[in-house]
């Protein structure tokens, strides 16, 4: 019996072989550059996929919320890092996790540093997040006043321990010239390392984004990398050149419910609540919410002629179909959709099905709760 | 103790008073027009909110998936209608639900009609969905050949019972002239009713969209209305003129984690996994992923000067803040965000908190599972 016989409604498929190859490739790359790989598990959010990662010498993970840290704690991780500017209202939850799990947080202002100093009950590490041009979060790289204010506050406590500097150059998703942008990242982290190294000889520097980690070969003296999306990849990463479409490890299986041959459109059950609403806009101005792959007993294949989701609403997806697809599709068939943004799709779906029909857990689902 | 003392991470607040007022207003409107209100519960997806609706003489609901129908079945609904072109792979699940719950589906092609006739084990109603110009789903209003083909197939079975015509004029979300569009809807449904009335004297016509149901006063001879979003409303509906911002019954409570006074930006924990990524684009080209309200012990108030989420990623939200807000906000505060698309936000969050700090169930959460 094939996994295909088990699918009757939208289901997120996970090709374990592709996923493991993605993890191995990044682990090999990190090793080649003498860097530690600390993957961001906001993408996979899974105990089981964490188990696969451990087989490639990955010992620590990153998450983006306390809730995700709670889910992954107690799974044997040497450390879990919460790579989101810490929310002081969650110090009680942090104290609880830190009783049994080595954990670190991200600090970018004095208020939060002081609240941690005042309220921490167990040792917790912290990174200072640095903004070297992305503009989303972090201390501006030249704001030594703020960096030193945070460090001074932390020194008042033996529970809040400085680990180093973290930089997520998320503008690699928007700017075509990743090498130029990485020079910024390398220079910022290297400058900070040398400036604070004598005072904190164990400090490390870490860089975050998948496009950069996938594309770059020169990481300078950066110590650690923390990409997330690479575990699955997606169409956005393929467009940025970080992967091929063949490297995408997840696809949403969607049932075909109607076909309009005259309009070359196929209606599927698969919309915003399954895929999320991330979108690519082509040079022609056409929106693309995901691309069709053909499912078979061993996984999926990418068609020569492209068919794609041209619009989605809450549950509906409308595929602009190639002639090839139109010629063979029937109501009641199941198609695969490669997602635009796999982290969001996985979060919407809350579980995965592998190609042998087994379910894999995700923090948002109920499989291991 | 206030509900505010219970919030430490992103939480979807529900103001029961506003929600009940929205339900009552639409129920009164339906009664005034001698129409039956069958609300679309893809928005609320809740047993408890269903209980509130029943207090306003609502006896039937609509859903957009078999999964949602499973969740709401056995809750005393006279009928549950699945307003999504039926996916024949789910006939076994439908058979199971129909053992104990009166249920109806939507049919738009002969293949699905035939599969239902072949496989149904219990009586199920069906609507033919009509497309009178929206272009998403349904049988084109002039395609009598297809309508009659479906009706003929259904006549072969005593289990598949024709109930009438359903029309979702979803282009009311994009086209400014709702009255013109409603003429299309009224005319299409009226024509079909008169054409098939002699053969099916009990057939009813139903129209779906919230903007139309909220704005229009002339429904012609349409029998039933099935809006969904009106239960909560949101910024998109306010922009379309279907409600005031004061009618929006849900808001996402988000913790403030950083403030950049110089950029007039506030970083909150609240992103795409909480709000979904629906967006309004202003005349100035600025994106708006949600608008700030001030939380207080009794709910929330809308500021005079607007502050809004200018960008979101998976967990991050960046607010473009008014001077008024900047003058009083602190790290560790909680702000409210009115969502752009409340159906999607509720689906992401999977539960609600009322203003007395109680949790309300949603099909995607685990409260009543």
């Amino acid at each position: 019996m094939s996994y295909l016989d088990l699918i009757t409604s939208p289901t997120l498929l996970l090709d374990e072989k592709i996923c493991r190859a993605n993890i191995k490739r990044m682990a090999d790359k990190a090793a080649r550059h003498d860097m530690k790989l600390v993957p961001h598990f906001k993408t996979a959010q899974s105990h089981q996929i964490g188990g696969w990662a451990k087989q490639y010498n990955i010992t620590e993970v990153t998450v983006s919320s306390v809730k995700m840290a709670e889910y992954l704690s107690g799974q044997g991780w040497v450390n879990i890092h919460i790579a989101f500017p810490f929310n002081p209202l969650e110090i009680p939850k942090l104290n609880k996790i830190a009783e049994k799990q080595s954990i670190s947080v991200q600090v970018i202002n004095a208020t939060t540093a002081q609240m941690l100093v005042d309220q921490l009950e167990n040792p917790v590490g912290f990174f200072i997040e640095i903004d070297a041009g992305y503009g989303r979060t972090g201390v501006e790289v030249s704001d030594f006043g703020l960096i030193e204010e945070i460090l001074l506050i932390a020194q008042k406590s033996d529970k809040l321990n400085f680990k180093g500097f973290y930089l997520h150059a998320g503008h690699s998703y928007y700017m075509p010239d990743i090498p130029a942008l990485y020079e910024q990242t390398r220079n910022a982290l290297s400058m900070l390392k040398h400036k604070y190294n004598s005072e904190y000889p164990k400090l490390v520097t870490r860089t975050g984004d998948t496009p950069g980690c996938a594309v770059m070969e020169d990481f300078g003296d950066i110590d650690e990398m923390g990409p997330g999306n690479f575990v699955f990849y997606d169409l956005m990463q393929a467009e940025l050149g970080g992967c091929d479409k063949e490297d995408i490890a997840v696809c949403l299986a969607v049932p075909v419910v109607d076909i309009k041959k005259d309009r070359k459109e196929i209606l599927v059950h698969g919309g915003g609540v399954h895929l999320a609403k991330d979108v690519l806009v082509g040079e022609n101005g056409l929106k693309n919410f995901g691309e069709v792959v053909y499912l078979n007993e061993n996984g999926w294949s990418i068609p020569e002629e492209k068919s794609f989701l041209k619009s989605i609403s809450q549950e509906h997806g409308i595929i602009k179909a190639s002639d090839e697809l139109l010629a063979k599709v029937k109501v009641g068939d199941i198609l695969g959709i490669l997602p635009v943004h796999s982290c969001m799709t996985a979060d919407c779906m809350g579980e995965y099905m592998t190609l042998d029909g087994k379910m894999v857990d995700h923090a948002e689902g109920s499989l291991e709760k």
Side-chain angles (χ1 to χ4, degrees), chain A residues 10-12 252 273-275 344-351 362 365:
Chain A
T11 303
L12 187 58
L252 186 73
V273 294
H274 310 106
L275 285 163
M344 291 291 295
T345 304
D347 199 87
C348 284
M349 294 303 295
E351 62 184 21
H362 180 290

Side-chain angles (χ1 to χ4, degrees), chain A residues 19 23 42 53 69 105 128 139 197 219 273 278 304 308 328:
Chain A
C19 180
I23 298 172
K42 77 186 178 104
V105 299
I128 295 178
V139 179
N197 217 4
F219 295 91
V273 294
D278 295 82
E304 289 205 12
F308 62 100
K328 63 179 193 175

Side-chain angles (χ1 to χ4, degrees), chain A residues 7 68 105 139 184 202 275 279 312:
Chain A
I7 299 176
M68 242 183 263
V105 299
V139 179
Q184 209 179 41
K202 283 188 189 163
L275 285 163
V279 61
I312 57 174

Side-chain angles (χ1 to χ4, degrees), chain A residues 102-363:
Chain A
S102 167
I103 194 149
S104 52
V105 299
Q106 219 141 280
V107 178
I108 62 173
N109 57 57
T111 311
T112 305
Q114 187 62 52
M115 290 172 89
L116 285 163
V117 163
D118 294 342
Q119 298 174 44
L120 279 184
E121 294 168 1
N122 297 290
V124 162
F126 79 98
F127 279 80
I128 295 178
E129 183 180 1
I130 296 298
D131 181 359
Y134 179 27
R136 185 177 69 176
T137 55
V139 179
E140 278 178 46
V141 62
S142 57
D143 193 350
F144 301 116
L146 180 51
I147 291 173
E148 279 154 37
E149 189 183 2
I150 294 170
L151 291 173
L152 275 174
I153 293 170
Q155 282 167 9
K156 293 187 285 184
S157 160
D158 59 351
K159 304 240 163 46
L160 187 61
N161 305 313
F162 182 53
K163 293 185 73 168
F165 295 101
Y166 184 103
L167 196 154
H168 176 75
H171 41 341
S172 59
Y173 282 84
Y174 310 104
M175 285 171 60
D177 191 356
I178 294 180
L181 188 150
Y182 244 73
E183 203 178 330
Q184 209 179 41
T185 298
R186 274 195 311 267
N187 291 346
L189 290 176
S190 185
M191 179 273 288
L192 290 167
K193 182 151 114 171
H194 290 106
K195 188 167 165 68
Y196 293 99
N197 217 4
S198 56
E199 203 176 348
Y200 297 94
K202 283 188 189 163
L203 85 80
V204 296
T205 55
R206 187 184 298 175
T207 182
D209 63 304
T210 286
C213 294
V215 167
M216 291 303 299
E217 286 298 335
D218 179 5
F219 295 91
D221 62 7
I222 302 174
D223 299 301
E224 303 181 349
M225 59 165 75
N229 182 278
F230 76 97
V231 175
F232 297 154
Y233 285 121
D234 52 32
L235 291 177
M236 201 185 292
Q237 297 291 341
E239 186 167 275
L240 291 165
C243 71
D244 294 325
K245 288 182 189 171
E246 286 75 8
D247 300 324
I248 300 175
V250 288
C251 89
L252 186 73
V254 294
V256 171
V257 297
D258 197 37
I259 300 163
K260 301 262 192 214
K261 291 236 178 211
D262 51 336
R263 293 194 212 150
K264 299 193 176 186
E265 288 177 1
I266 297 168
L267 179 69
V268 295
H269 186 197
V273 294
H274 310 106
L275 285 163
K277 289 195 171 172
D278 295 82
V279 61
L280 294 172
V281 181
E283 284 174 25
N284 46 19
L286 290 180
K287 289 182 177 178
N288 173 353
F289 293 91
E291 285 180 25
V292 173
V293 292
Y294 300 154
L295 300 179
N296 58 54
E297 298 209 349
N298 305 311
W300 54 83
S301 63
I302 298 175
E304 289 205 12
E305 282 184 65
K306 180 166 123 179
S307 300
F308 62 100
L309 278 175
K310 62 164 222 166
S311 69
I312 57 174
S313 39
Q314 186 166 345
E315 306 261 354
H316 297 74
I318 297 180
I319 291 169
K320 189 79 197 166
S322 71
D323 292 334
E324 177 191 278
L325 174 55
L326 275 178
K328 63 179 193 175
V329 72
K330 297 186 310 295
V331 168
D333 283 355
I334 301 168
L335 296 172
I337 304 287
L338 297 179
V340 170
H341 189 173
S342 59
C343 315
M344 291 291 295
T345 304
D347 199 87
C348 284
M349 294 303 295
E351 62 184 21
Y352 313 87
M353 182 189 278
T354 61
L355 302 179
D356 53 3
K358 303 223 172 81
M359 300 313 291
V360 170
D361 68 293
H362 180 290

